[in-house]
Amino acid sequence: TMDPDFGVGIKRYLFEPDHAVTYGDLKARIVNQARDYLPYIHIDDIEIKSNAMGNLEIRANRANVIIKFTIIPLGVEQDLEMEIY
């Protein structure tokens, strides 16, 4: 069955204002979704890079999201980086 609450809806954030408040909301949503659907991982850090946030090498209407997390049962740290556009 489909779960309509599954996922973050990350692309919709591209059409929100490009500033820290928007990305604070996105970070909170990622952490909450991981807690609810992936309880065996711990989010260590989330970094969001965008043009308006001072990363001039990133074009407008794009963002890079880097999620650093630990797989708790294995004690393994991983990074997931994605470009959103």
Side-chain angles (χ1 to χ4, degrees):
T1 62
M2 300 271 302
D3 184 345
D5 295 324
F6 182 76
V8 175
I10 201 163
K11 283 194 174 187
R12 77 171 179 236
Y13 285 91
L14 287 175
F15 300 101
E16 296 294 325
D18 190 7
H19 60 70
V21 172
T22 299
Y23 296 126
D25 291 345
L26 174 57
K27 289 179 183 183
R29 184 134 172 92
I30 292 169
V31 169
N32 289 336
Q33 289 289 303
R35 182 193 65 232
D36 292 348
Y37 291 96
L38 304 167
Y40 49 87
I41 73 165
H42 176 266
I43 302 291
D44 301 314
D45 189 33
I46 300 172
E47 182 180 358
I48 301 174
K49 299 177 181 179
S50 71
N51 189 278
M53 296 297 294
N55 295 284
L56 301 180
E57 72 277 3
I58 298 173
R59 295 187 324 188
N61 297 324
R62 292 179 185 245
N64 287 359
V65 179
I66 303 150
I67 303 170
K68 298 175 187 253
F69 63 95
T70 301
I71 303 170
I72 298 167
L74 303 176
V76 174
E77 296 177 359
Q78 292 286 309
D79 293 354
L80 172 65
E81 183 170 352
M82 58 194 121
E83 182 179 19
I84 310 302
Y85 58 94

